[in-house]
Amino acid sequence: MKPDIEERAVRLAEYIIENDTTVRAAAKQFGVSKSTVHKDVTERLRKLNPELWQQAKTVLEKNKAERHIRGGIATRLKYKGK
């Protein structure tokens, strides 16, 4: 694996953990696709740094469990015109 890809995977995971953010927000911040963020954090990072991977996995699982709530809020705001 290329060193820049490995570094990106670590930086993405650190960003997600520090900011308690979603894959979509991390992708926007780093200028990459959601698929890239997901692959870096779930697959590549697992081999590179298992401890950091576990921390990032915890944040991603929490976000996955809460996504239906955020979607409901977004829909409500859309129809309220905000």
Side-chain angles (χ1 to χ4, degrees):
M1 200 173 342
K2 294 182 180 178
D4 54 325
I5 294 173
E6 293 173 354
E7 181 182 337
R8 181 185 66 205
V10 171
R11 288 191 358 224
L12 280 165
E14 289 172 347
Y15 180 80
I16 289 170
I17 294 164
E18 289 172 8
N19 297 297
D20 195 36
T21 191
T22 62
V23 168
R24 187 177 295 233
K28 187 174 183 180
Q29 178 69 28
F30 284 80
V32 296
S33 71
K34 294 182 301 180
S35 299
T36 300
V37 173
H38 194 329
K39 184 166 184 99
D40 282 355
V41 175
T42 59
E43 293 178 22
R44 293 183 176 125
L45 191 64
R46 188 175 192 172
K47 297 173 187 170
L48 295 172
N49 188 335
E51 185 177 314
L52 188 61
W53 167 76
Q54 187 61 43
Q55 292 173 2
K57 181 180 171 195
T58 302
V59 174
L60 295 179
E61 286 175 352
K62 179 182 82 65
N63 288 337
K64 186 175 180 181
E66 294 174 350
R67 70 181 172 192
H68 68 284
I69 296 168
R70 287 191 300 273
I73 292 169
T75 301
R76 185 172 68 237
L77 291 175
K78 176 182 174 183
Y79 287 105
K80 282 188 173 183
K82 294 183 181 180

XYZ file of all heavy atoms in Angstrom:
665
model
N 0.835 -1.173 0.000
C 0.000 0.000 0.000
C 0.888 1.247 0.000
O 1.934 1.271 0.635
C -0.885 -0.022 1.248
C -2.077 0.847 1.138
S -3.261 0.727 2.490
C -2.918 -0.765 3.303
N 0.458 2.283 -0.684
C 1.233 3.508 -0.778
C 1.236 4.236 0.570
O 0.223 4.259 1.272
C 0.642 4.425 -1.839
C 0.735 3.876 -3.240
C 0.173 4.860 -4.233
C 0.262 4.319 -5.629
N -0.319 5.244 -6.612
N 2.362 4.846 0.904
C 2.455 5.556 2.191
C 1.438 6.688 2.333
O 0.919 6.928 3.424
C 3.881 6.102 2.196
C 4.632 5.302 1.205
C 3.634 4.818 0.202
N 1.128 7.394 1.234
C 0.172 8.487 1.332
C -1.240 7.976 1.629
O -2.003 8.634 2.337
C 0.181 9.354 0.069
C -0.031 8.555 -1.211
O 0.446 7.410 -1.277
O -0.665 9.090 -2.143
N -1.583 6.810 1.129
C -2.890 6.214 1.412
C -2.955 5.783 2.874
O -3.961 5.988 3.550
C -3.185 5.034 0.471
C -3.331 5.545 -0.966
C -4.434 4.293 0.904
C -3.468 4.449 -1.999
N -1.869 5.209 3.364
C -1.815 4.804 4.765
C -1.951 6.011 5.682
O -2.696 5.987 6.661
C -0.508 4.072 5.048
C -0.396 2.743 4.346
C 0.974 2.106 4.497
O 1.887 2.750 5.066
O 1.127 0.965 4.039
N -1.243 7.085 5.335
C -1.304 8.312 6.138
C -2.723 8.899 6.107
O -3.225 9.357 7.131
C -0.303 9.331 5.597
C -0.277 10.617 6.394
C 0.690 11.632 5.810
O 1.629 11.245 5.097
O 0.484 12.827 6.076
N -3.344 8.877 4.930
C -4.709 9.395 4.811
C -5.668 8.595 5.683
O -6.527 9.166 6.359
C -5.162 9.351 3.343
C -6.577 9.894 3.148
C -7.050 9.732 1.731
N -7.187 8.320 1.407
C -7.114 7.834 0.180
N -6.891 8.625 -0.851
N -7.265 6.547 -0.037
N -5.520 7.284 5.709
C -6.390 6.441 6.524
C -6.263 6.806 8.003
O -7.268 6.919 8.709
C -6.053 4.970 6.311
N -5.051 7.016 8.454
C -4.829 7.386 9.854
C -5.402 8.770 10.134
O -6.083 8.975 11.147
C -3.321 7.323 10.199
C -3.043 7.908 11.571
C -2.821 5.891 10.119
N -5.154 9.726 9.245
C -5.675 11.091 9.449
C -7.195 11.111 9.441
O -7.810 11.823 10.235
C -5.121 12.027 8.381
C -3.652 12.339 8.579
C -3.127 13.454 7.699
N -4.104 14.000 6.776
C -3.878 14.270 5.501
N -2.695 14.056 4.994
N -4.816 14.775 4.729
N -7.806 10.342 8.549
C -9.265 10.274 8.511
C -9.821 9.724 9.821
O -10.776 10.276 10.381
C -9.730 9.389 7.350
C -9.740 10.022 5.971
C -9.868 8.957 4.896
C -10.857 11.039 5.858
N -9.228 8.648 10.303
C -9.691 8.053 11.555
C -9.527 9.025 12.716
O -10.437 9.178 13.546
C -8.931 6.766 11.835
N -8.390 9.696 12.783
C -8.170 10.667 13.856
C -9.192 11.796 13.787
O -9.714 12.229 14.804
C -6.749 11.230 13.770
C -5.687 10.234 14.162
C -4.271 10.713 13.891
O -4.095 11.728 13.157
O -3.338 10.069 14.399
N -9.486 12.261 12.569
C -10.480 13.325 12.392
C -11.859 12.859 12.852
O -12.563 13.588 13.559
C -10.521 13.762 10.924
C -11.518 14.854 10.658
C -11.219 16.174 10.947
C -12.772 14.562 10.129
C -12.141 17.185 10.712
C -13.699 15.563 9.892
C -13.382 16.874 10.189
O -14.302 17.868 9.956
N -12.246 11.670 12.457
C -13.559 11.130 12.836
C -13.661 10.997 14.352
O -14.678 11.346 14.951
C -13.821 9.789 12.129
C -14.061 10.023 10.637
C -14.989 9.046 12.756
C -14.096 8.766 9.791
N -12.615 10.510 14.988
C -12.627 10.309 16.435
C -12.643 11.647 17.165
O -13.456 11.865 18.071
C -11.412 9.469 16.874
C -11.537 8.052 16.313
C -11.285 9.433 18.392
C -10.242 7.260 16.352
N -11.748 12.561 16.790
C -11.635 13.845 17.478
C -12.899 14.691 17.351
O -13.304 15.367 18.294
C -10.446 14.638 16.934
C -9.110 14.080 17.327
C -7.951 14.764 16.612
O -8.177 15.787 15.924
O -6.826 14.264 16.731
N -13.518 14.662 16.180
C -14.681 15.514 15.930
C -16.005 14.774 16.062
O -17.055 15.374 15.845
C -14.567 16.152 14.546
C -13.359 17.049 14.456
O -13.267 18.040 15.151
N -12.396 16.674 13.628
N -15.943 13.481 16.355
C -17.144 12.662 16.483
C -18.062 12.887 15.278
O -19.245 13.179 15.409
C -17.868 12.992 17.796
C -18.900 11.948 18.160
O -18.646 10.750 17.904
O -19.953 12.320 18.704
N -17.476 12.776 14.106
C -18.162 13.152 12.873
C -18.566 11.935 12.042
O -18.176 10.812 12.336
C -17.264 14.095 12.055
O -18.018 14.654 10.997
C -16.066 13.371 11.492
N -19.322 12.185 11.005
C -19.806 11.133 10.120
C -18.827 10.909 8.970
O -17.942 11.730 8.719
C -21.173 11.520 9.521
O -21.008 12.713 8.740
C -22.206 11.755 10.602
N -19.024 9.814 8.263
C -18.208 9.517 7.081
C -18.400 10.616 6.043
O -17.438 11.083 5.428
C -18.590 8.136 6.490
C -17.969 7.931 5.119
C -18.180 7.026 7.434
N -19.617 11.062 5.872
C -19.913 12.104 4.883
C -19.183 13.407 5.200
O -18.600 14.040 4.317
C -21.425 12.354 4.841
C -21.862 13.292 3.751
C -23.368 13.420 3.748
N -23.968 12.155 3.401
C -24.852 11.989 2.445
N -25.261 13.022 1.756
N -25.341 10.806 2.191
N -19.193 13.802 6.469
C -18.511 15.035 6.874
C -16.995 14.905 6.707
O -16.326 15.845 6.273
C -18.860 15.376 8.314
N -16.448 13.754 7.035
C -15.009 13.523 6.875
C -14.635 13.551 5.389
O -13.604 14.116 5.018
C -14.606 12.194 7.498
N -15.472 12.965 4.556
C -15.210 12.960 3.114
C -15.183 14.380 2.572
O -14.303 14.741 1.783
C -16.271 12.136 2.390
N -16.111 15.188 3.012
C -16.168 16.577 2.563
C -14.934 17.339 3.034
O -14.342 18.106 2.276
C -17.438 17.234 3.101
C -17.692 18.607 2.573
C -19.032 19.138 3.031
C -19.318 20.491 2.432
N -20.619 21.017 2.876
N -14.534 17.141 4.268
C -13.374 17.825 4.835
C -12.077 17.468 4.105
O -11.244 18.330 3.863
C -13.242 17.471 6.320
C -12.058 18.083 7.016
C -12.175 19.586 7.183
O -13.271 20.126 7.262
N -11.057 20.264 7.217
N -11.915 16.214 3.721
C -10.688 15.753 3.090
C -10.747 15.768 1.563
O -9.759 15.474 0.906
C -10.332 14.345 3.579
C -9.743 14.335 4.964
C -10.555 14.423 6.085
C -8.366 14.252 5.142
C -10.019 14.423 7.360
C -7.820 14.248 6.413
C -8.646 14.342 7.528
N -11.919 16.052 1.009
C -12.044 16.121 -0.449
C -11.956 14.778 -1.139
O -11.413 14.671 -2.233
N -12.473 13.737 -0.474
C -12.512 12.398 -1.060
C -13.950 11.890 -0.993
O -14.806 12.500 -0.366
C -11.554 11.419 -0.329
C -10.111 11.855 -0.496
C -11.890 11.299 1.131
N -14.202 10.745 -1.624
C -15.548 10.202 -1.630
C -15.857 9.480 -0.314
O -14.953 9.093 0.431
C -15.728 9.225 -2.793
O -14.993 8.046 -2.544
N -17.145 9.286 -0.062
C -17.566 8.539 1.123
C -17.036 7.113 1.065
O -16.648 6.553 2.084
C -19.097 8.503 1.233
C -19.734 9.844 1.483
C -21.238 9.731 1.635
C -21.858 9.145 0.398
N -23.307 8.997 0.462
N -17.008 6.547 -0.130
C -16.499 5.182 -0.295
C -15.030 5.089 0.095
O -14.604 4.117 0.723
C -16.656 4.730 -1.746
O -18.008 4.736 -2.111
N -14.264 6.102 -0.255
C -12.846 6.126 0.086
C -12.663 6.194 1.595
O -11.852 5.466 2.172
C -12.150 7.323 -0.588
O -12.291 7.193 -2.002
C -10.686 7.402 -0.219
N -13.425 7.068 2.246
C -13.337 7.192 3.700
C -13.690 5.861 4.348
O -12.975 5.377 5.224
C -14.268 8.307 4.235
C -14.294 8.306 5.755
C -13.845 9.655 3.707
N -14.780 5.273 3.906
C -15.232 4.018 4.489
C -14.178 2.918 4.315
O -13.832 2.202 5.258
C -16.550 3.604 3.855
C -17.272 2.533 4.590
N -16.645 1.565 5.314
C -18.585 2.276 4.733
C -17.529 0.759 5.848
N -18.719 1.170 5.509
N -13.631 2.800 3.113
C -12.625 1.764 2.851
C -11.360 2.012 3.678
O -10.798 1.091 4.263
C -12.278 1.703 1.372
C -11.300 0.580 1.051
C -11.245 0.332 -0.424
C -10.349 -0.830 -0.744
N -11.070 -2.066 -0.971
N -10.919 3.267 3.733
C -9.722 3.595 4.507
C -9.905 3.257 5.978
O -9.032 2.655 6.599
C -9.382 5.083 4.381
C -8.704 5.435 3.070
O -8.398 4.515 2.286
O -8.485 6.632 2.832
N -11.027 3.642 6.529
C -11.221 3.502 7.975
C -11.610 2.085 8.381
O -11.193 1.607 9.429
C -12.269 4.530 8.479
C -12.573 4.338 9.933
C -11.764 5.940 8.231
N -12.357 1.378 7.561
C -12.805 0.048 7.970
C -11.875 -1.076 7.528
O -11.740 -2.068 8.243
C -14.224 -0.248 7.442
O -14.226 -0.164 6.025
C -15.233 0.703 8.034
N -11.228 -0.937 6.392
C -10.381 -2.019 5.881
C -8.888 -1.739 6.046
O -8.176 -2.526 6.668
C -10.693 -2.276 4.402
C -12.080 -2.837 4.177
C -12.387 -3.050 2.709
O -11.436 -3.175 1.906
O -13.563 -3.087 2.359
N -8.427 -0.638 5.494
C -6.987 -0.351 5.518
C -6.488 -0.099 6.932
O -5.431 -0.585 7.318
C -6.683 0.847 4.633
C -6.916 0.556 3.167
C -6.547 1.724 2.292
N -6.715 1.352 0.900
C -7.458 2.030 0.036
N -8.076 3.131 0.409
N -7.568 1.610 -1.215
N -7.236 0.664 7.691
C -6.798 1.021 9.035
C -6.738 -0.196 9.949
O -5.907 -0.257 10.848
C -7.730 2.087 9.620
C -7.257 2.741 10.902
C -5.968 3.517 10.658
C -8.318 3.647 11.462
N -7.592 -1.152 9.712
C -7.606 -2.366 10.539
C -6.253 -3.072 10.510
O -5.791 -3.607 11.519
C -8.704 -3.304 10.054
C -8.915 -4.489 10.943
C -10.085 -5.311 10.472
N -10.448 -6.272 11.502
C -11.509 -7.025 11.471
N -12.345 -6.937 10.462
N -11.764 -7.866 12.429
N -5.608 -3.051 9.362
C -4.291 -3.687 9.214
C -3.172 -2.782 9.729
O -2.172 -3.268 10.249
C -4.042 -4.034 7.750
C -5.020 -5.047 7.198
C -4.847 -5.223 5.720
C -5.958 -6.108 5.159
N -5.976 -6.119 3.708
N -3.343 -1.475 9.557
C -2.290 -0.526 9.919
C -2.213 -0.259 11.422
O -1.131 -0.226 11.995
C -2.524 0.817 9.212
C -2.418 0.838 7.711
C -2.873 2.182 7.177
C -0.982 0.578 7.308
N -3.374 -0.004 12.015
C -3.408 0.417 13.412
C -4.700 -0.099 14.055
O -5.696 0.619 14.115
C -3.333 1.947 13.477
C -3.161 2.481 14.870
O -3.538 1.841 15.845
N -2.596 3.671 14.965
N -4.711 -1.319 14.534
C -5.933 -1.924 15.079
C -6.557 -1.142 16.237
O -7.774 -1.097 16.369
C -5.485 -3.310 15.546
C -4.258 -3.593 14.766
C -3.606 -2.272 14.516
N -5.742 -0.511 17.054
C -6.275 0.251 18.186
C -7.050 1.485 17.703
O -8.160 1.754 18.152
C -5.128 0.690 19.101
C -5.601 1.377 20.364
C -4.439 1.721 21.269
O -3.564 0.860 21.469
O -4.410 2.863 21.765
N -6.468 2.216 16.767
C -7.135 3.385 16.196
C -8.375 2.952 15.424
O -9.410 3.616 15.472
C -6.169 4.139 15.281
C -6.630 5.485 14.740
C -6.898 6.456 15.874
C -5.580 6.051 13.794
N -8.272 1.833 14.723
C -9.419 1.293 13.978
C -10.589 1.017 14.916
O -11.733 1.337 14.595
C -9.010 0.004 13.260
C -10.153 -0.779 12.723
C -10.884 -0.494 11.610
C -10.740 -1.952 13.294
N -11.869 -1.437 11.436
C -11.807 -2.344 12.470
C -10.467 -2.715 14.419
C -12.595 -3.452 12.735
C -11.250 -3.818 14.674
C -12.296 -4.180 13.849
N -10.315 0.448 16.076
C -11.378 0.126 17.031
C -12.059 1.398 17.528
O -13.287 1.440 17.660
C -10.806 -0.664 18.224
C -11.862 -1.180 19.167
C -12.835 -2.137 18.509
O -12.457 -3.009 17.750
N -14.105 -1.962 18.766
N -11.290 2.433 17.786
C -11.865 3.700 18.239
C -12.743 4.317 17.148
O -13.848 4.788 17.423
C -10.765 4.680 18.629
C -9.987 4.280 19.853
C -8.801 5.195 20.103
O -8.574 6.154 19.374
N -8.032 4.879 21.132
N -12.252 4.315 15.913
C -13.021 4.859 14.798
C -14.276 4.028 14.557
O -15.351 4.572 14.274
C -12.165 4.900 13.536
N -14.159 2.723 14.694
C -15.294 1.827 14.502
C -16.410 2.145 15.499
O -17.592 2.143 15.152
C -14.836 0.377 14.664
C -15.921 -0.644 14.458
C -15.361 -2.045 14.646
C -16.498 -3.036 14.652
N -16.107 -4.325 15.171
N -16.035 2.451 16.725
C -17.018 2.803 17.752
C -17.803 4.052 17.348
O -19.030 4.083 17.458
C -16.307 3.038 19.102
O -15.597 1.856 19.448
C -17.296 3.380 20.194
N -17.103 5.065 16.854
C -17.767 6.300 16.417
C -18.676 6.014 15.229
O -19.826 6.472 15.179
C -16.736 7.394 16.061
C -17.422 8.615 15.461
C -15.937 7.792 17.287
N -18.191 5.237 14.259
C -18.991 4.942 13.068
C -20.238 4.125 13.413
O -21.307 4.350 12.843
C -18.145 4.214 12.023
C -16.991 5.018 11.424
C -16.216 4.166 10.432
C -17.480 6.287 10.777
N -20.114 3.197 14.339
C -21.281 2.411 14.756
C -22.312 3.285 15.457
O -23.515 3.118 15.263
C -20.847 1.258 15.656
C -20.160 0.150 14.896
C -19.614 -0.952 15.785
O -19.620 -0.801 17.034
O -19.177 -1.979 15.239
N -21.846 4.235 16.267
C -22.765 5.162 16.937
C -23.501 6.002 15.893
O -24.720 6.173 15.965
C -22.002 6.069 17.894
C -22.878 7.076 18.628
C -22.075 7.979 19.518
C -21.430 9.122 18.853
N -22.121 10.166 18.254
N -22.757 6.500 14.911
C -23.372 7.300 13.854
C -24.382 6.482 13.058
O -25.445 6.991 12.685
C -22.306 7.857 12.916
C -21.504 8.959 13.553
O -21.950 9.603 14.496
N -20.309 9.169 13.059
N -24.062 5.237 12.806
C -24.973 4.378 12.055
C -26.271 4.154 12.832
O -27.359 4.162 12.265
C -24.309 3.037 11.749
C -25.127 2.147 10.851
C -24.356 0.890 10.503
C -25.184 -0.001 9.591
N -24.476 -1.239 9.250
N -26.150 4.007 14.141
C -27.329 3.798 14.973
C -28.201 5.054 15.050
O -29.413 4.955 15.234
C -26.908 3.378 16.375
N -27.591 6.228 14.882
C -28.327 7.488 15.013
C -28.775 8.066 13.675
O -29.490 9.065 13.655
C -27.442 8.528 15.702
C -27.116 8.193 17.126
C -26.118 9.162 17.738
O -25.531 9.989 16.988
O -25.928 9.103 18.951
N -28.402 7.479 12.567
C -28.658 8.114 11.280
C -30.144 8.284 10.961
O -30.526 9.244 10.302
C -27.936 7.403 10.159
C -28.461 6.047 9.798
C -27.644 5.443 8.687
N -28.057 4.063 8.491
C -27.391 3.212 7.762
N -26.298 3.585 7.150
N -27.821 1.984 7.632
N -30.973 7.382 11.435
C -32.408 7.525 11.166
C -32.973 8.753 11.869
O -33.897 9.385 11.384
C -33.169 6.257 11.570
C -33.216 6.015 13.040
N -32.132 5.526 13.751
C -34.202 6.212 13.947
C -32.462 5.420 15.032
N -33.713 5.827 15.176
N -32.386 9.122 12.986
C -32.835 10.313 13.713
C -32.424 11.569 12.939
O -33.241 12.483 12.753
C -32.230 10.335 15.128
C -32.761 9.137 15.926
C -32.539 11.643 15.841
C -32.035 8.887 17.224
N -31.172 11.619 12.474
C -30.706 12.779 11.702
C -31.511 12.931 10.414
O -31.811 14.049 9.995
C -29.219 12.647 11.384
C -28.323 12.880 12.580
C -26.868 13.005 12.168
N -26.357 11.821 11.501
C -25.841 10.767 12.119
N -25.762 10.741 13.411
N -25.405 9.732 11.428
N -31.869 11.810 9.795
C -32.673 11.878 8.574
C -34.042 12.452 8.843
O -34.568 13.243 8.058
N -34.646 12.088 9.967
C -35.950 12.625 10.340
C -35.887 14.118 10.603
O -36.780 14.874 10.213
N -34.826 14.549 11.249
C -34.650 15.977 11.529
C -34.491 16.747 10.226
O -35.094 17.807 10.040
C -33.446 16.202 12.460
C -33.737 15.628 13.854
C -33.084 17.685 12.556
C -32.526 15.551 14.768
N -33.693 16.224 9.314
C -33.469 16.882 8.030
C -34.767 16.989 7.231
O -35.052 18.027 6.626
C -32.420 16.126 7.227
N -35.562 15.951 7.252
C -36.838 15.969 6.534
C -37.780 16.993 7.150
O -38.444 17.756 6.434
C -37.485 14.569 6.555
O -36.583 13.648 5.950
C -38.805 14.576 5.810
N -37.837 17.032 8.463
C -38.713 17.996 9.139
C -38.302 19.425 8.790
O -39.146 20.267 8.471
C -38.669 17.785 10.650
C -39.660 18.686 11.383
C -39.791 18.385 12.858
N -38.561 18.723 13.553
C -37.844 17.874 14.287
N -38.253 16.630 14.450
N -36.748 18.247 14.885
N -37.004 19.701 8.818
C -36.530 21.041 8.484
C -36.815 21.381 7.014
O -37.158 22.516 6.697
C -35.027 21.155 8.755
C -34.620 21.111 10.228
C -33.108 21.122 10.353
C -35.233 22.258 11.010
N -36.704 20.404 6.143
C -36.968 20.621 4.719
C -38.406 21.087 4.507
O -38.667 22.025 3.762
C -36.721 19.319 3.950
C -37.066 19.400 2.481
C -36.833 18.061 1.801
C -37.310 18.098 0.386
N -37.143 16.787 -0.261
N -39.326 20.437 5.180
C -40.724 20.768 4.966
C -41.188 21.977 5.773
O -42.218 22.563 5.476
C -41.618 19.558 5.229
C -41.469 18.553 4.117
C -40.752 17.372 4.289
C -41.983 18.812 2.848
C -40.581 16.479 3.254
C -41.823 17.911 1.813
C -41.121 16.755 2.020
O -40.946 15.872 0.986
N -40.394 22.395 6.757
C -40.685 23.637 7.470
C -40.115 24.831 6.713
O -40.401 25.966 7.066
C -40.091 23.599 8.880
C -40.909 22.779 9.841
C -40.365 22.956 11.245
C -41.273 22.281 12.246
N -40.798 22.511 13.616
N -39.290 24.564 5.715
C -38.705 25.635 4.902
C -37.464 26.244 5.510
O -37.167 27.404 5.256
N -36.737 25.492 6.293
C -35.508 26.044 6.908
C -34.290 25.446 6.297
O -34.187 24.409 5.858
C -35.529 25.788 8.412
C -36.626 26.554 9.086
C -36.575 26.331 10.578
C -37.698 27.102 11.250
N -37.715 26.941 12.649
